[in-house]
Amino acid sequence: MKKGFTGEAYTEGVSEREWAEAAAGSNTILDIIKMLGILAVVTFVSIIFDNLGFTEADIVVTYVLGVLLTAIATPKRIYCFISSVLSVMAFNFFFITPRYTFQAWGTEYPGTFAVMFVVAFVASWLTMQLREQARFAAASSRRTQVLLDCDRLLQVCRTSADIADVMCHQLGKLLGCDTVWFNNNGGSLATPQVLHEKNDPAPISPGASELSIVQWVLSHKGRAGATTDTFSEATSLYIAVCASDTVFGVVGIHIRNRVVSQDERSIILSIIGETALALERDRALAEREAAAVLAKNEQLRANLLRSISHDLRTPLTAISGNADILLSEGPSIDEPSKRKLLSDIYNDAQWLNNLVENLLAATKLENGTVRLNLSCEVVDDVIEEALRHVSRAASLHHIEVVPTDAIILVHVDGHLIVQVIVNLVNNAIAYTPRGSHIVISALRDHDFAHISVSDDGPGIPDIDKERVFDSFYTINHGQADGHRSVGLGLFLCRSIVEAHGGTISISDNNPHGCVVSFTLPIEEVTYNVPE
């Protein structure tokens, strides 16, 4: 015997243990019947060969074959020895003169008997050795396959829970025992996850004493329990799953009093090692994803600051400049010029106010803090309300609202949908030349209302159609122009529409321009008709 893990005993080879188990569990009477049956068949065949004129050497080979068959059919070597002795006696009784006695007249027969016995016994011994080696190779192949399957399954796991489940399943498959996984929850034990093997007669049920052993293993990053020198009275073997000084949890194997072989120990440690590496990769991947999200947020924040600082400079400069003119030269300015300066100040202040509203709404939607106040709204009323809040520059364009054929009711947050339409109309006003036509239409499409805002301006290039809904993205790629856009309008529209369960898209208008369309869920109204 040798020592394994931290002092547990295991046998030298799997084949010896398996052979011993097979021999201990065999049926002695059945094995004797097999041995005597093979001997009887061989004797009968030998009698036939003798009548056909076969030589004594041929008959000896037939009996050797019988001993080999006995070695294959029975698990213990004692049957090979007895079969060899009985074969020599049967050969002497049936085929040596004087026949049907155990005497031999020829002086050469004692040597023949001895050689026959040795050949038969050695051949049967070698047959059993080959049988054991075949069993060993099969067991070794199976265990290697368990390890390879474990590595393959770990590669496709997506969560740490899946990784732990694969480890427990493969350990149970290897040993035919129950396994249990204790996740490390910040230094304390999480609720154990037990995987039962159908052939295990005593399912795992960690008690208070077992849990204290698991806590010890977790704290010391080691092994304890059954077949070890530490808490050897436990019914299970507990091993910490750790990598890079991080303990991910503890796995328990309900091995009872079973002997753990050297090959099994090696496979167990390999499976746990592979699991630890997979958990380490999963944690590293989660940290990289978190870092990527943080970097993206930092990039968005940088884009926001850059866009705002660049685009706010023009309206703030205009407001402060116009106000300074009114303060310093107010009495000498004629009334039309004064009204023009005040109008410019108002327009710039309104632009800044709309920007702040969009920023606040976008921030709430991103953080998930917006609560939709859903109610039944008439689409025509929502559009009419939105037109009251569009840019004052709308007077420089031709805005047309196509009336609906029937009343369309939608289940929405009216304030947010008004903001969507205002943003779309203001976007069309800002990016189309003076005198352009802007058309707002709505129709019912099955369970959704389909609302669109179209214009006959220059349109949007195909390369930008998908990206215009991204935050802080502008068609001029962030460069300042007279439109002073920070790229939040369409992003906010998409967020609001998707929060209502709808979709938004952009397409080309005919012959030129673009159409922005979005859908909203229809509100069905049930009328109570008095009987």
Side-chain angles (χ1 to χ4, degrees):
M1 305 290 285
K2 296 185 179 180
K3 296 292 181 179
F5 287 129
T6 53
E8 71 273 24
Y10 62 86
T11 57
E12 176 62 29
V14 175
S15 60
E16 293 294 334
R17 177 175 59 83
E18 291 183 345
W19 177 263
E21 291 176 354
S26 63
N27 190 318
T28 303
I29 297 177
L30 180 61
D31 291 334
I32 293 174
I33 292 175
K34 290 179 181 179
M35 178 190 67
L36 295 178
I38 293 173
L39 181 62
V41 171
V42 169
T43 301
F44 177 75
V45 172
S46 297
I47 292 174
I48 294 176
F49 287 170
D50 182 61
N51 292 332
L52 294 176
F54 283 67
T55 64
E56 294 179 353
D58 296 326
I59 296 175
V60 168
V61 171
T62 304
Y63 275 104
V64 171
L65 176 61
V67 176
L68 295 180
L69 293 176
T70 301
I72 296 174
T74 57
K76 296 182 179 180
R77 293 183 174 85
I78 185 63
Y79 297 115
C80 299
F81 179 82
I82 296 175
S83 179
S84 300
V85 173
L86 293 179
S87 295
V88 171
M89 294 176 65
F91 176 71
N92 183 17
F93 185 81
F94 290 101
F95 305 104
I96 299 301
T97 304
R99 298 196 177 198
Y100 310 114
T101 66
F102 291 104
Q103 298 178 359
W105 288 353
T107 57
E108 73 279 3
Y109 285 118
T112 301
F113 297 156
V115 171
M116 178 180 173
F117 172 79
V118 172
V119 169
F121 185 73
V122 170
S124 64
W125 184 278
L126 293 177
T127 300
M128 298 195 71
Q129 289 293 106
L130 291 175
R131 180 182 175 186
E132 292 180 18
Q133 292 179 9
R135 292 170 63 89
F136 173 81
S140 178
S141 176
R142 182 182 65 84
R143 289 168 182 151
T144 302
Q145 188 62 45
V146 168
L147 181 59
L148 293 176
D149 290 343
C150 179
D151 182 69
R152 176 178 56 81
L153 294 172
L154 289 176
Q155 294 296 327
V156 299
C157 289
R158 293 292 179 264
T159 65
S160 57
D162 292 339
I163 294 173
D165 185 69
V166 167
M167 174 190 65
C168 291
H169 180 76
Q170 294 303 110
L171 288 175
K173 183 178 179 181
L174 174 69
L175 302 173
C177 303
D178 278 358
T179 54
V180 59
W181 168 250
F182 301 87
N183 192 46
N184 183 7
N185 190 12
S188 60
L189 297 174
T191 303
Q193 301 174 5
V194 180
L195 178 65
H196 296 290
E197 286 294 319
K198 61 182 180 180
N199 294 327
D200 194 350
I204 252 185
S205 181
S209 60
E210 297 282 321
L211 292 178
S212 64
I213 298 174
V214 177
Q215 188 64 55
W216 184 92
V217 172
L218 183 67
S219 303
H220 292 77
K221 306 177 183 179
R223 310 181 187 100
T227 71
T228 71
D229 294 333
T230 307
F231 304 110
S232 57
E233 70 280 2
T235 60
S236 300
L237 171 65
Y238 299 101
I239 306 175
V241 180
C242 53
S244 302
D245 296 328
T246 301
V247 181
F248 299 102
V250 176
V251 60
I253 308 172
H254 192 52
I255 60 176
R256 303 183 298 278
N257 296 322
R258 123 167 227 177
V259 177
V260 181
S261 73
Q262 181 180 13
D263 289 340
E264 287 172 338
R265 179 188 70 147
S266 176
I267 299 299
I268 290 173
L269 296 180
S270 297
I271 291 175
I272 293 177
E274 289 289 336
T275 302
L277 292 177
L279 290 171
E280 180 75 9
R281 289 194 300 269
D282 180 71
R283 185 186 67 172
L285 179 61
E287 292 176 350
R288 285 198 299 269
E289 290 177 350
V293 172
L294 180 61
K296 181 180 179 180
N297 291 338
E298 290 296 330
Q299 184 63 39
L300 292 176
R301 187 178 293 108
N303 291 341
L304 173 63
L305 293 175
R306 182 174 62 253
S307 299
I308 291 179
S309 63
H310 197 284
D311 290 337
L312 294 188
R313 186 180 296 114
T314 300
L316 288 175
T317 301
I319 291 174
S320 60
N322 291 335
D324 182 63
I325 293 174
L326 289 172
L327 288 173
S328 61
E329 302 179 11
S332 62
I333 302 176
D334 58 86
E335 191 62 23
S337 298
K338 184 181 295 185
R339 290 185 62 83
K340 177 64 169 58
L341 291 173
L342 290 173
S343 178
D344 292 341
I345 292 175
Y346 176 81
N347 289 335
D348 289 331
Q350 281 295 104
W351 186 88
L352 291 174
N353 182 66
N354 290 335
L355 172 62
V356 172
E357 288 291 333
N358 283 341
L359 285 174
L360 291 176
T363 301
K364 290 179 180 179
L365 286 170
E366 283 288 293
N367 294 336
T369 57
V370 170
R371 291 185 179 180
L372 300 180
N373 297 317
L374 301 175
S375 60
C376 182
E377 302 286 347
V378 180
V379 171
D380 289 340
D381 293 345
V382 174
I383 296 175
E384 183 180 350
E385 178 66 21
L387 292 179
R388 296 192 183 102
H389 300 280
V390 298
S391 171
R392 297 179 66 180
S395 59
L396 304 176
H397 297 71
H398 301 286
I399 299 180
E400 176 187 357
V401 178
V402 178
T404 57
D405 296 334
I407 296 176
I408 301 177
L409 300 177
V410 290
H411 190 58
V412 297
D413 186 321
H415 175 73
L416 292 178
I417 299 304
V418 165
Q419 189 171 3
V420 170
I421 298 176
V422 168
N423 284 347
L424 295 180
V425 175
N426 285 343
N427 208 54
I429 292 172
Y431 285 94
T432 57
R434 180 179 301 186
S436 298
H437 292 79
I438 300 173
V439 179
I440 308 171
S441 62
L443 55 87
R444 177 166 180 166
D445 184 11
H446 296 93
D447 294 332
F448 288 88
H450 190 277
I451 304 171
S452 61
V453 177
S454 60
D455 63 67
D456 55 0
I460 297 177
D462 292 338
I463 193 175
D464 293 312
K465 280 188 173 64
E466 292 296 328
R467 299 191 61 189
V468 291
F469 294 106
D470 296 340
S471 57
F472 310 123
Y473 182 82
T474 56
I475 296 177
N476 56 9
H477 303 287
Q479 300 299 321
D481 63 7
H483 302 129
R484 300 182 309 193
S485 172
V486 295
L488 278 176
L490 292 179
F491 165 74
L492 183 61
C493 292
R494 183 182 67 177
S495 300
I496 294 175
V497 170
E498 290 181 350
H500 284 81
T503 59
I504 188 169
S505 61
I506 191 167
S507 59
D508 293 328
N509 196 10
N510 188 25
H512 56 80
C514 69
V515 180
V516 181
S517 305
F518 64 95
T519 60
L520 296 172
I522 289 290
E523 172 76 355
E524 298 290 351
V525 177
T526 303
Y527 295 96
N528 295 322
V529 180
E531 297 181 357

